[in-house]
Amino acid sequence: MSMHLANSTITAAPPAFAHDPRKDAAINGRIDRDDALASTGHLVQFAQDCEIYGEGDKAAVFFKVVEGVVRTCKFLSDGRRQIDAFHVAGDVFGFEAGAEHRLSAEAVCNCWLTSHRRRGLEELAATDLALSQQLFSYAMRGMARAQDHSLLLGRRSAIEKVAAFLVEWARHAAGCPTITLAMTRQDIADYLGLTIETVSRTLSQLERDAVIEIPTARHIRLKNLAALHSLKS
Amino acid sequence: MSMHLANSTITAAPPAFAHDPRKDAAINGRIDRDDALASTGHLVQFAQDCEIYGEGDKAAVFFKVVEGVVRTCKFLSDGRRQIDAFHVAGDVFGFEAGAEHRLSAEAVCNCWLTSHRRRGLEELAATDLALSQQLFSYAMRGMARAQDHSLLLGRRSAIEKVAAFLVEWARHAAGCPTITLAMTRQDIADYLGLTIETVSRTLSQLERDAVIEIPTARHIRLKNLAALHSLKS
DNA sequence: CGATTGCTTGATACCTCTCAACCCAGGTGG
DNA sequence: CCACCTGGGTTGAGAGGTATCAAGCAATCG
């Protein structure tokens, strides 16, 4: 519930000559040149598993991922966790309609983010048409993503869910047939509404069926992408 | 996939003296006086089970519910259907980021809607700050709703899902302990990611436990709202 | 009336969860 | 170097919840 910005931020304001992941990202084309947010905001770093904000925290700032992976999730009273989304480079998260964050956000791995003051931006958006349109597009994209996720969770078998997850992540590793998973099996399970054992068993099943290969737990080689797509059904 | 506006619209432009549900709604306070959409748009009616638009249709217009209930859903190749949301009076649906509708929309019961030209409105929003903020708020509300739905579908038991559904609909029948369901058991099942039989069994179970009463299939009396809330967990 | 539709109930099968043991890689310390 | 520990992952056996298949009921409508 509490905002752990202070103790989880390793480098809130990196020294002038420190490595700035924004430059790498811009060079690699992961951030649009004309992105209204790209050059604003404070660069902050979060170590693996640090809480970025908690459910119910005041939503004074929101974030954009520069490097790394962030999960947004909710916790139920009995300890169950539902992961709403994984956010990768270029994704905006923590942008709320109300005064408070409706979900928690945590760093899946070591992350570089830019943080943006919500208040200032809303005022700016009132005059800047391009900016307000961009914020609107973030909201619409977030809605589409959440709807797709609902579709994934309702009435689908474990194998369909896992296949859909792999195909979704194949897009992030565009071209490369081997995807690198930043998250644990538990994260995947909580994202798909399954248990860790079922995720593990389903991946093994897919490997037996020669659809994928699992050189290490965190690296998965997609041998038969067509089969994965048809499994998504 | 096709737009059935022409043949599913019973009264596209009702005669001057026809009953106008917008007036009732305004009198009953279901529509805000200062709603930027309330007075614009064409009033249209859809009979029960008519398709309002299909997945993939050009998203030239979007809608606001004046009276009745609308479901938005997706169909899978094998016939499974996932209902994303039920929309009631005051809700906006069919507003898209892209050029096409990502879901289908159908009338759950006889419905009165106002339809709004998207193109004109986007241009208007560029100059009208209040309007653009309202559109933004629709998008954010839609995202929050979709996220809540994801949470409902992932890793929850049948009884938790049904209880959550009943509590959600109790809000629409504010005050009255008996809720009227506009939708069939199949609709509820497709919304909760269950089968029709499980929904039926779970409702019977809740009645045996004296949590609810089912005078008729479409009327459910909530005898113990506190129990329902705790079942949601 | 009979036919249809929406709903309920029963019996059984199957999928996923639960609980448990085990494996493996990495780190620590003697 | 090896013993030990730890955390993440895999695998197995059994239980349990939900789907499936099937039958029956009630209300509605020609």
Side-chain angles (χ1 to χ4, degrees):
Chain A
M1 288 294 179
S2 59
M3 192 76 163
H4 286 168
L5 263 175
N7 53 14
S8 61
T9 300
I10 293 176
T11 314
F17 297 103
H19 166 75
D20 182 342
R22 274 183 296 193
K23 294 205 179 71
D24 297 345
I27 288 165
N28 294 331
R30 289 203 304 275
I31 293 186
D32 302 349
R33 293 277 177 186
D34 57 353
D35 186 324
L37 291 179
S39 53
T40 70
H42 283 260
L43 186 64
V44 293
Q45 188 183 27
F46 287 87
Q48 183 175 341
D49 291 325
C50 278
E51 183 183 86
I52 299 166
Y53 55 78
E55 190 182 336
D57 282 355
K58 283 265 166 289
V61 293
F62 63 96
F63 300 88
K64 181 162 187 167
V65 181
V66 176
E67 208 175 281
V69 180
V70 170
R71 60 175 175 255
T72 46
C73 51
K74 276 210 176 191
F75 295 91
L76 275 67
S77 49
D78 59 1
R80 279 177 295 183
R81 180 182 68 163
Q82 177 68 46
I83 294 184
D84 173 62
F86 295 109
H87 305 276
V88 300
D91 289 348
V92 170
F93 68 93
F95 200 60
E96 307 286 345
E100 298 180 348
H101 285 294
R102 297 166 26 82
L103 305 163
S104 307
E106 296 164 356
V108 171
C109 55
N110 192 26
C111 284
W112 287 94
L113 315 174
T114 49
S115 78
H116 305 267
R117 299 177 53 79
R118 175 183 160 188
R119 187 103 202 105
L121 206 71
E122 276 171 351
E123 283 154 9
L124 201 61
T127 60
D128 184 341
L129 181 62
L131 181 59
S132 84
Q133 281 177 345
Q134 189 170 43
L135 292 183
F136 182 71
S137 122
Y138 287 141
M140 293 301 285
R141 217 177 305 167
M143 179 163 78
R145 194 192 38 63
Q147 285 173 349
D148 287 341
H149 195 210
S150 294
L151 194 66
L152 183 58
L153 291 175
R155 296 270 264 132
R156 291 183 112 108
S157 67
I159 201 164
E160 289 172 336
K161 288 179 176 178
V162 171
F165 173 79
L166 291 176
V167 168
E168 188 181 335
W169 277 83
R171 290 189 296 106
H172 298 313
C176 180
T178 302
I179 61 179
T180 302
L181 299 177
M183 69 288 293
T184 66
R185 296 287 189 270
Q186 186 67 61
D187 286 332
I188 300 174
D190 290 342
Y191 179 68
L192 297 176
L194 297 170
T195 59
I196 181 174
E197 294 96 333
T198 300
V199 170
S200 184
R201 268 187 261 271
T202 306
L203 285 171
S204 301
Q205 171 77 38
L206 287 172
E207 189 173 30
R208 271 196 301 279
D209 297 348
V211 177
I212 63 173
E213 219 167 310
I214 314 179
T216 80
R218 296 297 183 96
H219 293 91
I220 297 187
R221 178 149 176 277
L222 310 182
K223 293 171 72 176
N224 191 343
L225 206 54
L228 279 180
H229 269 100
S230 66
L231 274 175
K232 276 197 324 178
S233 88
Chain B
M1 288 292 179
S2 58
M3 192 76 164
H4 286 168
L5 262 175
N7 53 14
S8 61
T9 300
I10 293 176
T11 314
F17 295 103
H19 167 74
D20 183 341
R22 274 183 296 193
K23 294 207 178 70
D24 298 344
I27 289 165
N28 294 332
R30 289 203 304 277
I31 292 185
D32 302 349
R33 292 279 178 184
D34 57 353
D35 186 325
L37 292 179
S39 53
T40 70
H42 284 260
L43 185 65
V44 293
Q45 187 183 28
F46 287 87
Q48 184 175 342
D49 290 326
C50 279
E51 183 183 85
I52 299 166
Y53 55 77
E55 190 180 338
D57 282 355
K58 284 266 165 286
V61 293
F62 63 94
F63 299 88
K64 181 162 189 167
V65 181
V66 176
E67 208 175 282
V69 179
V70 170
R71 60 176 176 254
T72 46
C73 52
K74 276 209 176 192
F75 294 92
L76 276 67
S77 48
D78 59 0
R80 281 177 294 182
R81 179 182 69 163
Q82 177 69 45
I83 294 183
D84 173 61
F86 294 109
H87 305 275
V88 299
D91 289 349
V92 170
F93 67 95
F95 200 61
E96 307 286 343
E100 298 179 349
H101 285 295
R102 297 165 26 81
L103 305 164
S104 307
E106 298 164 355
V108 170
C109 55
N110 192 26
C111 285
W112 288 94
L113 316 173
T114 49
S115 78
H116 305 267
R117 296 177 51 79
R118 175 183 161 189
R119 187 105 201 104
L121 206 71
E122 276 171 353
E123 283 154 9
L124 200 63
T127 59
D128 183 340
L129 181 62
L131 181 59
S132 85
Q133 282 177 346
Q134 190 171 43
L135 293 182
F136 182 72
S137 121
Y138 287 142
M140 293 300 285
R141 216 178 305 167
M143 180 162 77
R145 193 192 36 64
Q147 286 173 348
D148 287 341
H149 195 209
S150 293
L151 195 67
L152 183 58
L153 290 175
R155 298 270 264 131
R156 291 184 112 110
S157 66
I159 201 166
E160 289 173 336
K161 288 178 176 178
V162 171
F165 173 79
L166 291 176
V167 168
E168 189 182 334
W169 276 84
R171 288 189 297 106
H172 298 313
C176 179
T178 302
I179 61 178
T180 302
L181 300 177
M183 69 288 293
T184 67
R185 295 287 189 269
Q186 186 67 62
D187 286 331
I188 300 174
D190 290 343
Y191 179 69
L192 297 177
L194 298 170
T195 59
I196 182 175
E197 294 95 333
T198 300
V199 170
S200 184
R201 269 187 259 271
T202 305
L203 286 171
S204 301
Q205 172 76 39
L206 287 172
E207 189 172 30
R208 271 196 299 279
D209 297 350
V211 176
I212 63 173
E213 218 168 311
I214 314 180
T216 81
R218 297 296 183 97
H219 292 90
I220 298 186
R221 180 149 176 277
L222 310 182
K223 292 171 72 178
N224 192 342
L225 206 54
L228 279 180
H229 269 100
S230 66
L231 275 174
K232 277 198 323 180
S233 89

